[in-house]
Amino acid sequence: MNGTALGGQDPATAWVEYTSPDGRAYFYNRDTKVTTWEKPDELKTQQERDSVWKEYAKDGRPYWYNTQTKQSTWTRPDVPNQPIKPLEAPSSRMDLDRVPSRQPSMQRREPSRSRRSASRGPRSRPPVPATTLDSRSRHEYKTIEEAEQAFTSMLKRHNVRGDWSWEKMLRAVVNDPDYRALKTLPERKNAFQRYIAAVRETELEQHREEQRKQRTEFFALLDTLPISEYTRFPKVKHLAHEHKAFCAIPSNKERVELFDAYVDELSEKLGGERRRVRAQCVRDATEYLGALSI
């Protein structure tokens, strides 16, 4: 099985990162011809080197081990230097086979530090490491619709948001059995694009609803302030800068825009009231003059 080499590798190291056909990253040493799922130290960032969490791999599936708390987890820690919730106890023999041990069960490979040789021949793609992921954890779906529904539910379980890229999603879900509910990569990418489009539409509607709520609360706040159609925004800012409805608006620019809209509505309202009062005064004067006997 062939993989795809990633660009941007450091020429000073013999290690090269590749991507397997199912989207998982693995690493190949051009000097020693060693292939491993574990990320070598030479390719890690300074933050990864300093972290108390160390990454290992079991049957091609990455897991993380905390050198301080001695805990292992299948979930990638979000905060490198802080411990996270330990793994729950397995509920079955199948689960027991999949949970990492309290100590890392695999020895980390020390990558060669030799530099690239100028005499190397053409680069060939190394083989993808063999994997023995438990096939019993996968569910076979009868129809493509059921499979896509399982794939979509898997994306929801991992809280995939509308601004996620395909690569970011892969890093979060590739070890979930339902990632392979759809058999081919094109089917997965098409389902992912449909999911992202639906999530973005939902997020956009939620954003609009939040804006409507903020506008209503901001206008209600302005109604309680001693302002007129001639009031300027600096006065409003001075009067309301500590109010919750004022602070809820994300930026000062948006507050100014909302204030201008409020003043426009207030001016229109007061102008209408003045016109009605004037018309009523004209009618009263006309009736009064008509009743006089001259």
Side-chain angles (χ1 to χ4, degrees):
M1 187 182 298
N2 291 330
T4 302
L6 302 180
Q9 301 292 338
D10 184 355
T13 178
W15 288 97
V16 181
E17 181 177 353
Y18 288 82
T19 301
S20 65
D22 63 359
R24 291 179 293 167
Y26 67 99
F27 307 90
Y28 174 71
N29 190 301
R30 294 186 294 260
D31 291 338
T32 63
K33 312 304 180 186
V34 170
T35 303
T36 177
W37 292 108
E38 298 173 15
K39 189 174 185 179
D41 288 339
E42 288 182 332
L43 298 182
K44 291 181 180 179
T45 64
Q46 188 62 43
Q47 185 182 40
E48 289 174 321
R49 294 192 189 100
D50 295 341
S51 175
V52 298
W53 289 98
K54 304 302 179 184
E55 182 177 349
Y56 296 87
K58 180 178 176 62
D59 296 332
R61 185 179 182 187
Y63 67 95
W64 290 264
Y65 174 74
N66 191 302
T67 57
Q68 291 183 352
T69 64
K70 312 302 181 185
Q71 297 171 352
S72 298
T73 177
W74 291 114
T75 305
R76 184 184 186 91
D78 292 329
V79 182
N81 293 313
Q82 294 183 6
I84 65 172
K85 183 180 179 181
L87 292 173
E88 297 178 356
S91 58
S92 66
R93 179 62 186 173
M94 180 182 71
D95 292 333
L96 183 61
D97 293 337
R98 300 177 60 192
V99 176
S101 61
R102 302 293 285 183
Q103 295 289 343
S105 60
M106 299 183 63
Q107 296 298 321
R108 306 188 68 191
R109 301 181 187 271
E110 287 298 327
S112 169
R113 296 186 178 276
S114 60
R115 294 178 175 270
R116 295 177 61 183
S117 171
S119 61
R120 282 198 183 97
R123 180 185 300 175
S124 60
R125 292 179 178 177
V128 177
T131 179
T132 57
L133 290 178
D134 191 349
S135 61
R136 292 174 298 173
S137 63
R138 304 178 188 173
H139 181 79
E140 296 295 330
Y141 298 95
K142 297 180 180 179
T143 65
I144 188 67
E145 290 76 15
E146 289 182 359
E148 182 167 339
Q149 179 60 42
F151 185 85
T152 301
S153 298
M154 177 268 300
L155 296 177
K156 292 179 181 178
R157 286 199 307 273
H158 289 273
N159 298 318
V160 176
R161 299 190 296 272
D163 59 349
W164 282 32
S165 65
W166 170 260
E167 291 73 18
K168 183 175 182 179
M169 180 276 295
L170 269 183
R171 290 193 293 271
V173 311
V174 70
N175 292 314
D176 192 306
D178 280 334
Y179 170 72
R180 295 166 183 81
L182 294 169
K183 301 301 183 184
T184 67
L185 188 59
E187 288 176 339
R188 295 169 190 161
K189 285 191 173 183
N190 289 336
F192 172 72
Q193 292 299 333
R194 286 191 288 270
Y195 170 85
I196 289 297
V199 170
R200 286 176 177 172
E201 182 62 30
T202 300
E203 291 176 345
L204 180 60
E205 182 55 37
Q206 291 175 344
H207 178 67
R208 290 170 178 165
E209 180 60 31
E210 182 65 21
Q211 284 184 321
R212 287 192 288 267
K213 179 181 177 181
Q214 291 175 351
R215 177 189 175 97
T216 300
E217 292 178 350
F218 188 75
F219 277 25
L221 169 63
L222 295 179
D223 286 338
T224 65
L225 301 178
I227 61 177
S228 69
E229 57 189 310
Y230 303 108
T231 302
R232 295 294 177 258
F233 179 74
K235 178 181 179 180
V236 172
K237 185 176 181 179
H238 174 73
L239 294 173
H241 68 280
E242 294 182 349
H243 285 259
K244 180 180 179 180
F246 185 88
C247 298
I249 308 301
S251 67
N252 202 59
K253 179 181 177 181
E254 293 180 70
R255 297 184 189 111
V256 172
E257 291 175 351
L258 286 176
F259 172 73
D260 289 343
Y262 176 86
V263 170
D264 289 341
E265 291 184 9
L266 180 62
S267 298
E268 182 64 26
K269 177 181 177 181
L270 294 177
E273 291 179 354
R274 294 190 190 100
R275 287 190 292 272
R276 285 193 295 274
V277 170
R278 188 180 300 110
Q280 184 62 45
C281 290
V282 170
R283 287 194 296 272
D284 291 344
T286 302
E287 292 177 1
Y288 175 76
L289 292 175
L292 293 177
S293 298
I294 298 177

